[in-house]
Amino acid sequence: MAIRPILTVPDPILKQVSKPVEAVTDEVRALMDDMLETMYDAPGIGLAAIQIGVPQRVIVMDLASADQPRAPRYFVNPEILETVEDVLPYEEGCLSVPDFFDTVERPARVRLRYLDYQGQRVEEWADGMFAVCIQHEMDHLEGTLFIDHLSRLKRNYAVSKVKKAKRTAAA
Ligand code: NI
């Protein structure tokens, strides 16, 4: 396993649409292991492969709180089959937009289909933070960031804040 660099805005790679994985092979599992280690190190609760520059439809997540044992989850080729009309406003952040947070409204429940770490097909409903997180991560697979759901003013502010922080770190 290895910690990989996380791409941040405005890296154009983050705007790429990721491709479906043909099969959950050992190579894909090695990618998921690296993604999980990278996510825990950051630390974050979700990571899409494109955030480490790999344009494949792969997501890792762990929603366990700090005092709970780790509970990694893996989503390969996830699809949303159904959503409800109720929305859940939630203050989101993203490892690719460090130190910026704002509220996004998304459907409060979604029905998912995906392949897990073993390549088994899973269907389930997600709600609460799970629903928020999987929709945020699935946006990454389409090249969409949570700041794309905000006004242009807020988006520009977020990107300039990240650029400025990078300049300061490099100086
Ligand atoms: Ni994100």
Side-chain angles (χ1 to χ4, degrees):
M1 294 212 285
I3 294 168
R4 312 253 208 122
I6 297 175
L7 306 180
T8 55
V9 287
D11 194 317
I13 293 173
L14 292 167
K15 307 303 285 180
Q16 280 187 26
V17 177
S18 295
K19 293 196 172 63
V21 170
E22 282 183 24
V24 183
T25 58
D26 285 346
E27 200 179 334
V28 174
R29 276 186 279 271
L31 169 67
M32 292 194 277
D33 292 345
D34 280 1
M35 287 170 62
L36 198 72
E37 192 176 357
T38 302
M39 183 191 81
Y40 284 138
D41 177 69
I45 59 170
L47 190 75
I50 194 67
Q51 292 180 273
I52 57 165
V54 179
Q56 294 187 25
R57 301 182 84 82
V58 176
I59 289 165
V60 297
M61 191 183 296
D62 189 335
L63 302 176
S65 53
D67 56 347
Q68 290 176 319
R70 282 181 172 178
R73 311 181 63 135
Y74 309 87
F75 306 86
V76 177
N77 300 340
E79 297 168 76
I80 290 177
L81 303 174
E82 201 175 336
T83 61
V84 297
E85 280 184 27
D86 289 358
V87 296
L88 176 62
Y90 202 91
E91 187 174 74
E92 298 188 18
C94 180
L95 294 174
S96 295
V97 193
D99 300 318
F100 178 82
F101 304 88
D102 211 331
T103 303
V104 177
E105 288 189 350
R106 303 181 187 271
R109 295 183 79 215
V110 296
R111 191 158 68 90
L112 299 171
R113 177 161 67 202
Y114 59 91
L115 302 175
D116 67 11
Y117 193 84
Q118 304 303 334
Q120 299 292 317
R121 198 166 110 163
V122 180
E123 279 191 30
E124 66 180 326
W125 279 95
D127 60 15
M129 209 197 336
F130 181 21
V132 171
C133 194
I134 193 68
Q135 291 177 86
H136 173 119
E137 299 309 331
M138 285 180 68
D139 268 357
H140 278 297
L141 307 184
E142 306 305 325
T144 300
L145 297 161
F146 85 101
I147 55 173
D148 295 325
H149 293 285
L150 307 175
S151 68
R152 197 202 315 192
L153 191 72
K154 285 183 175 179
R155 184 162 59 248
N156 289 346
Y157 169 74
V159 174
S160 63
K161 191 180 173 192
V162 174
K163 282 163 83 173
K164 191 176 169 194
K166 262 190 279 195
R167 274 200 307 273
T168 308

